Amino acid sequence: MAISVDTVYKTVLLILNKEQRGYMTPDEFNKIGSQVQREIFEAYFEDLNQQLRIPQSDVEYSDRVAITDEKIAEFKVEGNATHTQDGIFTLPSDLYRLGSLTFEDTNKFPVEIQRVGRADFYNIRKSPLTAPTTTHPIYLYEDNKALVYPTSITSKIKTQYVKKPNDIRWGYYSGNLGQLIHDTTVFGANLLNNGGTLSSITTNPTSITTDQTYTNLTTTVSPAGGTGAIVSAVVSGGTVTSVLVTTPGSGYSIGDVLTVSQAQLPGGSSDLDITLTAADFNSGSTYGTTNFELHNSERTELVLKMLLYQGVVIRDPQIVQVAASRVQQEEVNEKS
């Protein structure tokens, strides 16, 4: 149920351009969008706390506690806790709010681990009657780590939690006229740029029989690791002038050498070798997209807050005033 980052970007640009209020660059949009998403996300918990204090409607789709919880549910996930040393488990790095820990012993029902404070953590362990066991374990949560007792538990700890939203990213590449074209490929830091031109040909065959674009060229990689990349090669004057990624594959790293066999380029004097550089990957380029993770119902507030921040960036008080007023009205409507 994610909100399309492309839809929001085009909506914001449309409003800015219609009012002749300037232009928002992709870099500005990505930074402001990530900030706005985090603000809206963090407000959910205060909203939920506020709604719990007042009577709720029992009419379907009108219970505001349920509505707010549904928005938070977009970020509820389960992950594994990693055992590092006796009793200590590192929790997932994207954890924002911890829900519960469960111990899922083999052939047994999952057991929820009781969370305790530091004083109780010490006191419970002192008495033989209250000492934690594998059927009644306890944990102390500090510094994104869980100290679990008994220490005989060394694996199979599941974490139920609310994760942090990922930073958004409107990925793009330049068209033939210099225009920015949205790249719909889901961002992956170590993903080859889908449709991108590989930057470093290190062994270029000569005497290729026909000048044309050779498509669906399979590759091997050295050292082994990555797999699945398919490319096309533009040949002019009997040699390769550019290589484009048509299927990114996965598992590649900077410095890997992709090889297109001599047999796939008729008449070629050798294999075609391309050494992968940082610019060939999403993390070193503008390729790859990450959508907003907010609930679809947040699209209006998202656009308004984007406009508010952009008004600050371009120092336009009218945009700030109008956007702030609309945001405030949206919040009043939701909470009144």
Side-chain angles (χ1 to χ4, degrees):
M1 296 178 67
I3 300 174
S4 168
V5 71
D6 187 45
T7 300
V8 174
Y9 188 33
K10 288 177 178 176
T11 301
V12 171
L13 288 183
L14 176 65
I15 295 171
L16 289 174
N17 292 337
K18 183 178 179 181
E19 298 297 326
Q20 298 181 344
R21 302 295 183 180
Y23 176 74
M24 177 182 274
T25 67
D27 184 56
E28 288 173 345
F29 176 81
N30 291 341
K31 290 177 180 176
I32 292 174
S34 296
Q35 172 64 23
V36 169
Q37 176 172 242
R38 181 59 67 88
E39 283 185 13
I40 294 174
F41 165 75
E42 290 179 349
Y44 288 158
F45 303 94
E46 289 302 320
D47 291 346
L48 182 60
N49 185 44
Q50 182 181 28
Q51 295 300 331
L52 286 170
R53 301 175 190 172
I54 58 179
Q56 298 297 313
S57 169
D58 59 359
V59 178
E60 193 173 14
Y61 307 124
S62 298
D63 187 331
R64 290 179 176 175
V65 171
I67 290 171
T68 304
D69 187 65
E70 183 178 327
K71 294 176 181 179
I72 297 174
E74 300 283 330
F75 302 92
K76 292 180 180 179
V77 293
E78 182 179 71
N80 294 316
T82 304
H83 184 255
T84 55
Q85 62 188 74
D86 284 353
I88 298 179
F89 288 80
T90 300
L91 304 185
S93 59
D94 61 349
L95 184 149
Y96 180 77
R97 294 284 178 93
L98 179 60
S100 60
L101 294 184
T102 54
F103 174 46
E104 303 191 359
D105 202 359
T106 306
N107 299 323
K108 295 181 180 179
F109 288 110
V111 174
E112 182 172 355
I113 307 175
Q114 180 185 358
R115 181 173 176 173
V116 297
R118 180 166 286 279
D120 289 336
F121 183 73
Y122 290 127
N123 292 330
I124 288 173
R125 292 159 51 206
K126 289 179 181 178
S127 170
L129 295 176
T130 60
T133 65
T134 55
T135 55
H136 294 88
I138 63 172
Y139 77 98
L140 174 67
Y141 174 52
E142 292 179 350
D143 191 25
N144 205 46
K145 295 180 176 63
L147 180 55
V148 178
Y149 267 77
T151 56
S152 58
I153 298 175
T154 58
S155 63
K156 301 176 182 177
I157 298 291
K158 293 284 187 181
T159 311
Q160 293 78 38
Y161 64 101
V162 176
K163 75 179 188 70
K164 302 171 187 174
N166 294 315
D167 288 345
I168 64 100
R169 179 183 173 101
W170 189 79
Y172 67 94
Y173 55 93
S174 297
N176 294 331
L177 302 177
Q179 75 276 32
L180 303 185
I181 301 174
H182 178 50
D183 177 24
T184 59
T185 307
V186 176
F187 174 81
N190 298 318
L191 183 69
L192 289 175
N193 298 329
N194 191 20
T197 300
L198 296 176
S199 55
S200 181
I201 298 174
T202 47
T203 302
N204 199 340
T206 58
S207 304
I208 298 173
T209 304
T210 306
D211 288 353
Q212 64 179 50
T213 298
Y214 291 83
T215 59
N216 295 320
L217 302 176
T218 58
T219 63
T220 56
V221 63
S222 177
T227 183
I230 298 175
V231 302
S232 62
V234 179
V235 174
S236 179
T239 191
V240 176
T241 56
S242 63
V243 180
L244 280 75
V245 176
T246 54
T247 302
S250 62
Y252 298 102
S253 302
I254 296 172
D256 285 353
V257 177
L258 293 182
T259 298
V260 176
S261 64
Q262 183 179 2
Q264 297 182 79
L265 300 168
S269 59
S270 66
D271 293 340
L272 168 66
D273 293 332
I274 309 104
T275 300
L276 300 179
T277 68
D280 298 324
F281 294 86
N282 284 184
S283 58
S285 70
T286 62
Y287 283 78
T289 285
T290 303
N291 286 320
F292 290 96
E293 296 178 272
L294 298 170
H295 193 275
N296 274 326
S297 63
E298 300 291 10
R299 179 175 164 182
T300 299
E301 184 173 2
L302 191 55
V303 170
L304 289 173
K305 286 197 171 185
M306 294 288 294
L307 289 170
L308 190 155
Y309 273 104
Q310 183 60 7
V312 173
V313 170
I314 64 177
R315 299 181 182 180
D316 190 323
Q318 188 174 355
I319 290 181
V320 173
Q321 184 178 3
V322 172
S325 176
R326 291 293 300 275
V327 168
Q328 185 179 24
Q329 186 60 49
E330 283 284 323
E331 292 176 350
V332 168
N333 290 340
E334 286 182 0
K335 297 177 182 179
S336 61

